[in-house]
């Protein structure tokens, strides 16, 4: 079921894309933003591709009966806020797109802080290679040379790294935005007095259960790999002022339907090891709860009625995962082996002796 507004000019199929990630080819890249993309000639088509993905994901997530006809079950009884309309409309969905995009675009074009050693922001992109219909019908397989055994850029079957910002003949199918809070204040004996050491993760918006599935989660692993490479590079160049690795990775979402939120929480907790924030703080004494309370504009994608369930509280649905007190690249590889599955594990082990991925050099 889709809203009638998605069927243009009498078409029998809706205007949303029907790209199947499945067994197709994926190319992944990671960029520190805005520095590594702001002067690229491909910046304009990249922003256009991100906006298209944003719009399609909002329509796919909101313009469905579960949301538009959800009634009042998602709203707290006796709420002091104004009563929401019984039905959210397609116009409400379009308003989310028009109001939400400017903040989302700013995430791509601005740094989270002028201090590069306190905060950094990364953009992870997943591109699906487009194939002509005749090639699909003929069952033409990807070029095997791209996925040869031992190739350092191969992550798993039909998934590889790229250093091209906008690969040709490709469609953007996934996106991760990561804010790395690096802040650590140390005494001379390396006793941590105050620390951020968090990774805030958001996706194409809004979060869907498919974002945590096998092929899509590889994008998160690639961003974390880039974080660890940048950490190692900084510490090699600044031995007197080393940075410490992140400890916590967290997500913050606004719940717009009870069923959708339950699906997402189940996927992230059952399959990916995330824990609700209050439970997480109890499991890790000494963790500052306020580390997970401030979210830059654009990360949560929607902030007002008639969408959020508890507009009077402003509360976010926050889930956190422990990365380790002093995670290193070896430990990260072990985590990726587990998360990616057996097919990737053999490639990861084979590739550890190879040089690091050729991400764009620092300027």
């Amino acid at each position: 079921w889709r809203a009638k507004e998605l069927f243009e000019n009498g078409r029998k199929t809706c205007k949303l894309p029907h790209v199947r990630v499945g067994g197709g080819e994926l190319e992944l890249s990671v960029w520190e933003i805005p520095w590594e993309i702001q002067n690229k000639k491909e910046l304009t088509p990249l922003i256009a591709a991100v906006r298209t993905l944003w719009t399609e994901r909002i329509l796919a997530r909101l313009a469905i009966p579960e949301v538009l006809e959800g009634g009042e079950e998602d709203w707290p009884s006796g709420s002091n806020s104004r009563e929401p309309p019984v039905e959210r409309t397609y116009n409400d969905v379009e308003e989310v797109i028009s109001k939400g995009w400017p903040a989302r675009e700013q995430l791509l074009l601005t740094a989270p802080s002028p201090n590069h050693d306190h905060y950094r922001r990364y953009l992870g992109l997943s591109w699906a290679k487009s194939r002509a219909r005749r090639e699909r019908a003929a069952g033409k397989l990807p070029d095997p040379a791209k996925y040869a055994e031992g190739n350092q850029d191969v992550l798993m079957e039909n998934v590889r790294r790229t250093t091209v910002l906008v690969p040709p003949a490709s469609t953007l199918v996934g996106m991760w935005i990561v804010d790395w809070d690096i802040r650590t204040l140390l005494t001379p004996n390396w006793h941590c007095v105050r620390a951020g050491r968090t990774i805030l993760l958001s996706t194409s918006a809004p979060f869907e259960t498919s974002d945590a599935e096998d092929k899509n989660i590889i994008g998160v692993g690639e961003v974390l790999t880039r974080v660890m490479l940048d950490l190692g590079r900084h510490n090699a160049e600044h031995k007197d002022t080393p940075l410490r690795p992140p400890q916590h990775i967290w997500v913050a979402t606004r719940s717009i339907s009870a069923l959708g939120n339950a699906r997402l929480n189940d996927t992230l907790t059952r399959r990916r090891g995330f824990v609700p924030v209050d439970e997480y703080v109890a499991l890790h004494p000494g963790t500052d709860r306020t580390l997970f309370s401030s979210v830059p504009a654009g990360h949560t994608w929607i902030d007002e009625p008639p969408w959020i369930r508890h507009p009077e509280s402003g509360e976010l649905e926050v889930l956190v995962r422990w990365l380790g007190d002093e995670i290193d690249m070896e430990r990260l590889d072990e985590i990726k082996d587990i998360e990616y599955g057996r097919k990737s594990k053999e490639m990861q082990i084979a590739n550890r002796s190879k040089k690091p991925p050729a991400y764009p050099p620092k300027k």
Side-chain angles (χ1 to χ4, degrees):
W1 189 99
R2 295 290 183 190
K4 65 179 184 296
E5 290 86 353
L6 296 179
F7 295 82
E8 297 178 334
N9 303 321
R11 287 181 49 174
K12 293 185 178 180
T13 55
C14 73
K15 65 181 181 180
L16 296 180
H18 298 81
V19 177
R20 286 186 175 274
V21 174
E25 293 181 80
L26 281 183
E27 293 190 349
L28 310 183
S29 62
V30 181
W31 310 83
E32 185 180 352
I33 51 177
W35 325 113
E36 292 177 354
I37 68 171
Q38 61 187 1
N39 296 320
K40 293 273 190 179
K41 64 181 181 181
E42 305 96 337
L43 179 60
T44 298
L46 172 66
I47 296 297
V50 171
R51 183 168 190 171
T52 296
L53 180 64
W54 154 272
T55 301
E56 291 167 349
R57 292 291 294 272
I58 295 292
L59 291 173
R61 184 66 180 86
L62 299 187
I64 57 176
E66 175 187 319
V67 176
L68 294 183
E69 300 173 0
E72 300 178 7
E73 63 174 353
D74 296 335
W75 294 77
S77 59
S79 170
N80 293 326
S81 65
R82 68 174 180 84
E83 286 298 316
V86 175
E87 294 185 0
R88 301 150 178 160
T89 69
Y90 186 81
N91 288 337
D92 291 326
V93 179
E94 290 191 319
E95 189 172 2
V96 168
I97 294 170
S98 62
K99 285 186 174 181
W101 170 249
R104 197 68 177 178
E105 184 177 24
Q106 281 301 108
L107 281 180
L108 305 177
L109 301 176
T110 58
S113 167
N115 192 326
H116 196 241
D117 291 337
H118 284 184
Y119 296 91
R120 299 186 190 184
R121 178 170 292 158
Y122 297 89
L123 172 66
L125 302 171
S126 298
W127 299 90
K129 300 299 290 184
S130 303
R131 290 193 295 160
R133 182 175 298 179
R134 60 180 177 274
E135 292 182 353
R136 296 196 301 269
K140 184 177 179 180
L141 298 176
D143 180 2
K146 291 183 178 179
Y147 303 97
E149 185 176 353
N151 186 331
Q152 66 168 3
D153 289 331
V154 176
L155 298 167
M156 62 185 299
E157 185 179 4
N158 293 346
V159 182
R160 65 193 301 272
R161 297 185 180 106
T162 181
T163 56
V164 179
L165 184 59
V166 180
S170 300
T171 301
L172 185 64
V173 294
M175 180 182 77
W176 298 96
I177 297 178
V178 162
D179 279 7
W180 178 21
D181 182 350
I182 310 171
R183 295 169 302 154
T184 309
L185 179 61
L186 300 172
T187 61
N189 63 357
W190 271 68
H191 175 66
C192 182
V193 178
R194 181 172 180 265
R197 301 180 62 191
T198 65
I199 294 283
L200 171 60
L201 178 68
S202 66
T203 183
S204 317
F207 257 109
E208 292 185 353
T209 55
S210 61
D211 289 318
E213 298 301 331
D214 293 338
K215 273 202 171 181
N216 289 324
I217 208 68
I218 297 175
V220 179
E222 285 297 281
V223 177
L224 292 179
T225 297
R226 174 63 191 273
V227 166
M228 295 303 296
L229 289 172
D230 285 355
L231 175 72
R233 179 161 40 204
H234 173 93
N235 289 350
E237 296 173 355
H238 304 85
K239 295 183 179 180
D240 294 335
T241 56
L243 303 177
R244 298 182 71 187
Q247 286 182 310
H248 325 277
I249 182 170
W250 62 295
V251 300
T253 64
R254 299 282 191 187
S255 178
I256 57 171
S257 77
L259 181 58
N261 194 59
R263 288 194 197 112
L264 175 62
N265 284 356
D266 179 67
T267 299
L268 289 175
T269 56
R270 179 174 53 84
R271 297 196 57 186
R272 301 303 174 193
F274 284 79
V275 177
V277 62
D278 291 327
E279 181 181 343
Y280 183 85
V281 171
L283 289 171
H284 299 277
T287 301
D288 186 353
R289 173 68 168 77
T290 63
L291 289 175
F292 315 108
S293 60
S294 178
V295 182
H299 271 287
T300 54
W301 71 274
I302 194 166
D303 297 306
E304 60 186 23
W307 301 103
I308 60 175
R309 297 173 65 196
H310 303 277
E312 74 285 353
S313 69
E315 281 294 317
L316 292 166
E317 305 274 356
V318 175
L319 299 171
V320 193
R321 174 170 171 169
W322 174 251
L323 290 175
D325 189 47
E326 296 291 340
I327 190 172
D328 56 17
M329 189 66 80
E330 182 177 358
R331 175 54 184 155
L332 178 60
D333 279 338
E334 292 173 357
I335 294 173
K336 291 193 295 184
D337 288 347
I338 296 170
E339 297 294 339
Y340 292 0
R342 183 175 301 174
K343 288 183 180 179
S344 177
K345 184 174 182 179
E346 296 175 358
M347 293 182 181
Q348 289 286 333
I349 293 173
N351 289 343
R352 280 180 193 155
S353 61
K354 307 292 183 181
K355 62 181 180 179
Y359 287 120
K362 284 292 182 185
K363 295 182 178 180

